[in-house]
Amino acid sequence: MAQVKEFVLRTTRPVSPGAYRIDYERALNPAQLEAVTTLEGPLLVVAGAGTGKTRTLVYRVARLVEHGVSPQQILLLTFTRRAAEEMLQRAATLLDGRCREVEGGTFHSFANLVLRQFGSALGLPPHFTILDQGDMEDVIQRVRTELRFDQSRVRFPSKQVLAEVISMSVNKEQPIPTVLQELYPHFFEHVEAMENLAAAYQRYKRQRHLVDYDDLLVLLRDLLQEHSAVRQSLAYRYRYVMVDEYQDTNRLQADIVWWLGQEHRNVMVVGDDAQSIYSFRGADYRNILEFPQRFPEARVVTIEQNYRSTQPILNLANAVLARAQEGYGKQLFSEQRQGEAPFLVALPDERVQSQFVCQQILDLREQGYRLQDIAVLMRSGFHSFDLELELTQHRIPFIKRGGYRLVEAAHVKDVLAHLRLVENPFDAVSWHRVLLLIDGIGPRTAATVEEWIRQQPQPALALQSFPRPEIRQRLAALATLLDRLFRLSGPEAQVDEVVRYYEPLLERHYPEDHPRRRRDLEHVVGLAAQHRSLSAFLTRMALDPPTDSVDGVMAFDRDDERLVLSTIHSAKGLEWRVVFLIWATDGRLPSGFCSTPQELEEERRLLYVAVTRAKERLYITYPIQVFNRSSGMTFGKLSRFLEDIPQDILVPARAVFTQAPS
C-alpha cells in the first residue's frame, strides 16, 4: 500500500501590533481607535452626530482584514446597498482589494441570500418570488377584490393604505387594530375587514411561494430562532457581524442581529440613540438602549469628538440633549473652538419670520455663501408654506425635501380654484376644477356647464338657474357658497368659508390622508389672514416657483444653485454651513400631536438632529403671534426644549425694522 502524502497547512496568525500597514493611531482619535481595535466580543459604538461614524466602520473593516480575518467571514449590514458599497470601496482604497470581498448589504438582501439556501427548513422553496412594494399592493388589491371589499358602499381603504398598515403591523409586531388606531383612526370602522384581508393576504402568498419585504425579515428571524444547525452554519461563515445605524432598526432586525451573534458573540453595532427619529417607519429606540442587556458582556464606546460643527453650536446640542429622560450621555466637542453662537430670534408673526429668513439669506449670499450651503429646516412640510411664497417673491430658487410645495398640493389648488371664481367669474380653468369635485359631475357634464356659464353675464349667480334640474340640484351647494363669498369681506373669512364647504369633498377625494391635508388648509387660512384683500392673497399664491435658471434680482454663479428647504427627518445625515430652524414653538416642535412621553422624547431628538446639521451658523426662529383657525391670532410659546437654556449658549435676538413692514 502506497504511503499517503501529507501536506502541512500553516495556521494563519494574527498580525502583530507593529506589523499593520495602516497607522491607526495616527488616523483615528482615541475613541475611534478603541472601537476599531476591539475585535472580539459584543461592542456598542455610540457615535454622536458628526463624529466620523462611517470612518470608524471603514477602518474596522480594514483592521479585521489586516488582522488576518478572511473577508468572507465579515458581514456588514447597512440600510442601503449604496452605503455598504461605498464603505467597502473606501476600505479597499485604504488597505487593498480584499475589503471588497466582505459580505456587505442590507438586512433584506442578506435575508434573501440565506433563505435561498436554507429556507426549505421553513417549507420555503429556493425559487420563491420577492414582491416589491408595487407587487405587494397589487396582490392586496387582488385579495381585496376576491373578498368583495371593493364593492362596499362605505369607502374602503386603498391598496396603498392597506399595504402600509399590514407592513407596519409586521415591523412593529403590533396587532392591526393598534396600528390602525395610530395611523388611520378614521378607518377604524373597517378593522375587522382589514384583519380578515391581512390573513387572506398571508395565505395567498404562502400558497404561491411569494415573499414580500417584511416576510424576508420574519422568515430569517424564524429560521435563526428555530433551527440551530442553520444558525451554527451561518456563525461559522460570518464570524464578525457589523451593523450600521442601529438606532434605526426595528424589533425584527434587532432579533436577527441577536441570533446571528449567539454562537460567537462578535457583534459590533454603531449608532446614536440621540438620532433615533424614525418610529413612524417602525424603528424602535429601545433596540440601541437594550443592546447591553441582550449582550451583557458588551463593551460600550462613546465617540464624542465632532468634525462638523463649531463648539458654540455643539454647546447648544449638548444642552438640548442634557434634558433627555434617558439615553447614553455624551458631550460633543470640537477642535473648532471659535465661532458664532446660535441665535434665538423672536419675530412678531409668521410673515415677518419669512421676511427675516429671506433677508438673512440675501445677506449671506453677499458674504460669499452659496445657496446650497444654506438650509431651512422645519418639523413638518407645511411649516414652510409662507416662506416658499416669500422666497418666490424675492426670486430665491429652492428645492424642497420632505412634504410638498404649497403651490403643488392638489387640495390647496382645489381651494384656490373656488376663490379665483370670486376674482374672475370667467376663469374657465378654475370652473373646470371646481365642477369636477362635485359628486355626479364628470368631464362631459362639466364641459356642458362651462359652456353655458361662459354665455352668462354673471356666471356665479347663473348657477342657480341652470336649465337642467338634475344638474342644477348638484350645483346648489356650490352656488350658495359663491353667493356667500361675494357677500363676505376679508380674505381670511372667504378662505375659511371655502374650507368649510370643501371639507366633505376633501374626505371623499382624499380618504386616506384627509386629516393631514385638513391641517394644511388651516395653515392656508392663516396665510390669508396676513393679507388685506383676496386679490393680494391670490396674487401672492399664484407666483410661479423659480426654475433652475434665475434672472434679474440675483446673479448666480451656477444655474443649479438652490437653497434647500427640508423637514428635519429628510435632513438626517446631511450638513450645511448655515442652518435656519423655523417654527420653534410648542405645537410645532414638539408637534401638538404628541400623546406619550416617548413621542415627546423623539421630538427632542428631532431638535438635536436639526441643531447638529449646522457647521458654522445656526438661527432658530419663532413667531410670537400664531394664527389659530378657531380663535384667530394667539400668542406662540417658545418650544419647551429651548426654555431655560442659558443665553450665552443660545443668544436671544429680535428683528428691528428701519421702516414699518408692509
Side-chain angles (χ1 to χ4, degrees):
M1 183 176 180
Q3 185 177 1
V4 176
K5 173 67 174 176
E6 293 182 346
F7 294 91
V8 178
L9 295 177
R10 293 182 297 276
T11 303
T12 302
R13 297 179 180 178
V15 178
S16 60
Y20 290 109
R21 289 167 47 190
I22 299 172
D23 189 346
Y24 295 94
E25 287 80 2
R26 184 175 182 179
L28 304 169
N29 67 43
Q32 291 173 332
L33 182 65
E34 182 181 0
V36 165
T37 56
T38 301
L39 304 183
E40 303 295 325
L43 173 66
L44 167 62
V45 179
V46 181
T51 59
K53 168 185 66 68
T54 301
R55 182 181 180 86
T56 302
L57 283 166
V58 167
Y59 271 82
R60 192 171 191 270
V61 169
R63 179 77 172 202
L64 284 167
V65 173
E66 198 170 6
H67 191 71
V69 176
S70 170
Q72 291 82 6
Q73 290 188 312
I74 304 171
L75 175 63
L76 173 62
L77 295 175
T78 63
F79 275 85
T80 66
R81 181 181 63 182
R82 180 180 176 182
E85 290 174 348
E86 289 180 353
M87 285 188 212
L88 297 182
Q89 179 57 46
R90 285 177 58 180
T93 302
L94 187 66
L95 184 62
D96 56 47
R98 289 175 295 167
C99 295
R100 295 193 190 92
E101 300 172 20
V102 169
E103 184 68 49
T106 66
F107 278 90
H108 294 92
S109 64
F110 174 67
N112 173 59
L113 182 70
V114 172
L115 291 171
R116 297 286 181 191
Q117 183 174 358
F118 299 109
S120 58
L122 296 174
L124 184 69
H127 58 271
F128 64 84
T129 299
I130 297 177
L131 302 175
D132 63 20
Q133 184 65 28
D135 296 330
M136 176 186 183
E137 292 172 2
D138 290 343
V139 170
I140 287 174
Q141 179 61 30
R142 185 164 186 168
V143 173
R144 179 176 182 244
T145 301
E146 290 177 356
L147 295 177
R148 301 193 176 187
F149 290 143
D150 59 329
Q151 299 178 15
S152 172
R153 287 189 177 183
V154 180
R155 185 68 180 263
F156 198 71
S158 68
K159 62 182 182 180
Q160 291 84 4
V161 169
L162 294 169
E164 183 181 358
V165 171
I166 291 172
S167 179
M168 192 61 72
S169 174
V170 174
N171 278 283
K172 284 194 168 186
E173 297 185 307
Q174 293 178 344
I176 281 180
T178 302
V179 174
L180 199 58
Q181 189 65 55
E182 179 181 337
L183 294 179
Y184 296 101
H186 50 289
F187 282 140
F188 199 79
E189 61 182 301
H190 300 294
V191 62
E192 185 176 350
M194 292 177 71
E195 288 180 305
N196 293 336
L197 187 146
Y201 169 64
Q202 299 298 338
R203 289 193 299 271
Y204 185 99
K205 289 185 296 178
R206 282 197 302 271
Q207 293 166 1
R208 294 162 177 81
H209 309 308
L210 304 175
V211 174
D212 63 27
Y213 290 155
D214 301 317
D215 293 329
L216 288 171
L217 300 182
V218 172
L219 292 170
L220 176 57
R221 190 270 311 272
D222 292 348
L223 183 66
L224 294 171
Q225 180 176 314
E226 298 170 10
H227 298 275
S228 58
V230 174
R231 189 168 66 243
Q232 290 165 5
S233 176
L234 290 174
Y236 180 79
R237 182 186 304 178
Y238 304 111
R239 288 179 49 223
Y240 296 87
V241 178
M242 302 167 63
V243 185
D244 187 24
E245 301 285 10
Y246 192 68
Q247 80 280 347
D248 293 334
T249 55
N250 59 34
R251 295 303 296 181
L252 284 170
Q253 291 163 329
D255 287 345
I256 289 169
V257 172
W258 188 76
W259 284 111
L260 285 172
Q262 283 310 287
E263 305 299 326
H264 51 61
R265 315 292 283 179
N266 295 328
V267 176
M268 174 205 194
V269 300
V270 181
D272 183 5
D273 55 300
Q275 296 187 72
S276 180
I277 58 174
Y278 295 121
S279 64
F280 66 94
R281 294 180 186 170
D284 194 332
Y285 174 67
R286 310 288 328 160
N287 289 343
I288 192 167
L289 295 184
E290 293 173 358
F291 186 85
Q293 283 75 55
R294 303 196 83 170
F295 292 92
E297 74 275 31
R299 177 184 292 193
V300 179
V301 175
T302 303
I303 305 179
E304 299 172 306
Q305 183 170 354
N306 179 284
Y307 296 92
R308 174 187 299 156
S309 308
T310 63
Q311 190 59 50
I313 292 173
L314 297 181
N315 290 341
L316 176 58
N318 292 334
V320 170
L321 209 56
R323 292 160 170 78
Q325 297 301 306
E326 59 181 346
Y328 297 100
K330 60 180 75 71
Q331 282 289 315
L332 299 180
F333 67 92
S334 171
E335 292 183 352
Q336 303 177 67
R337 308 301 300 177
Q338 303 302 314
E340 190 176 75
F343 287 104
L344 177 64
V345 188
L347 298 153
D349 55 33
E350 182 181 21
R351 183 75 181 275
V352 179
Q353 177 179 244
S354 299
Q355 292 172 346
F356 169 79
V357 172
C358 284
Q359 180 175 306
Q360 290 302 309
I361 290 170
L362 293 172
D363 289 347
L364 289 165
R365 183 77 180 117
E366 290 297 319
Q367 296 171 31
Y369 286 88
R370 300 174 302 169
L371 287 181
Q372 58 260 45
D373 293 331
I374 308 169
V376 181
L377 305 184
M378 74 289 304
R379 169 63 178 84
S380 299
F382 74 89
H383 293 172
S384 68
F385 282 176
D386 185 78
L387 176 61
E388 292 170 38
L389 299 176
E390 194 71 24
L391 289 169
T392 302
Q393 185 173 326
H394 285 80
R395 306 191 71 179
I396 300 175
F398 64 91
I399 57 173
K400 189 172 182 180
R401 295 172 176 159
Y404 41 76
R405 287 189 176 190
L406 172 65
V407 294
E408 296 172 350
H411 52 298
V412 175
K413 285 178 172 286
D414 290 344
V415 168
L416 294 179
H418 290 82
L419 295 164
R420 289 194 180 105
L421 294 179
V422 177
E423 284 294 299
N424 178 12
F426 294 95
D427 183 344
V429 174
S430 294
W431 273 115
H432 188 71
R433 187 178 192 99
V434 164
L435 290 171
L436 288 179
L437 291 170
I438 300 174
D439 190 28
I441 293 184
R444 187 172 301 177
T445 303
T448 301
V449 175
E450 291 166 34
E451 178 61 26
W452 186 81
I453 285 174
R454 190 174 61 84
Q455 302 171 18
Q456 308 304 312
Q458 293 181 303
L461 298 178
L463 283 182
Q464 301 175 12
S465 58
F466 189 77
R468 292 169 56 181
E470 72 280 8
I471 297 178
R472 185 169 64 244
Q473 184 177 2
R474 297 182 185 280
L475 298 173
L478 176 60
T480 301
L481 169 69
L482 294 175
D483 181 62
R484 289 178 180 171
L485 292 178
F486 280 111
R487 297 172 185 274
L488 288 172
S489 62
E492 178 187 342
Q494 290 170 307
V495 175
D496 187 66
E497 188 70 26
V498 172
V499 170
R500 293 178 189 278
Y501 162 84
Y502 179 69
E503 281 177 342
L505 303 177
L506 181 72
E507 292 185 21
R508 187 167 72 247
H509 288 276
Y510 307 101
E512 287 81 16
D513 61 350
H514 64 82
R516 176 182 60 81
R517 293 176 186 263
R518 183 179 288 111
R519 291 196 294 272
D520 292 345
L521 296 180
E522 290 176 357
H523 199 75
V524 172
V525 176
L527 296 180
Q530 302 173 10
H531 297 78
R532 296 175 181 174
S533 68
L534 181 61
S535 177
F537 171 66
L538 290 175
T539 298
R540 189 167 181 235
M541 295 291 285
L543 291 173
D544 291 331
T547 59
D548 289 349
S549 180
V550 178
D551 301 319
V553 177
M554 298 178 65
F556 296 103
D557 297 327
R558 293 168 54 93
D559 284 344
D560 61 353
E561 185 184 357
R562 290 185 287 183
L563 173 76
V564 175
L565 306 186
S566 177
T567 62
I568 302 172
H569 286 103
S570 297
K572 185 173 175 289
L574 303 175
E575 60 185 42
W576 293 272
R577 292 177 66 189
V578 182
V579 168
F580 293 86
L581 175 61
I582 61 174
W583 277 109
T585 58
D586 261 16
R588 300 295 177 97
L589 183 62
S591 166
F593 294 95
C594 292
S595 58
T596 67
Q598 292 77 21
E599 291 173 345
L600 194 61
E601 285 302 298
E602 182 160 328
E603 295 289 305
R604 185 192 306 278
R605 297 193 292 272
L606 268 175
L607 175 58
Y608 168 82
V609 168
V611 169
T612 53
R613 299 312 93 196
K615 298 170 68 175
E616 300 172 11
R617 296 185 180 185
L618 174 63
Y619 301 87
I620 300 178
T621 69
Y622 72 101
I624 296 172
Q625 292 189 77
V626 178
F627 178 81
N628 183 291
R629 186 181 171 195
S630 60
S631 54
M633 282 294 181
T634 60
F635 283 106
K637 183 177 182 294
L638 176 64
S639 171
R640 68 191 72 181
F641 303 141
L642 297 174
E643 290 180 335
D644 303 325
I645 289 183
Q647 293 187 2
D648 60 330
I649 293 178
L650 184 58
V651 179
R654 61 189 177 92
V656 179
F657 292 98
T658 55
Q659 59 183 19
S662 58

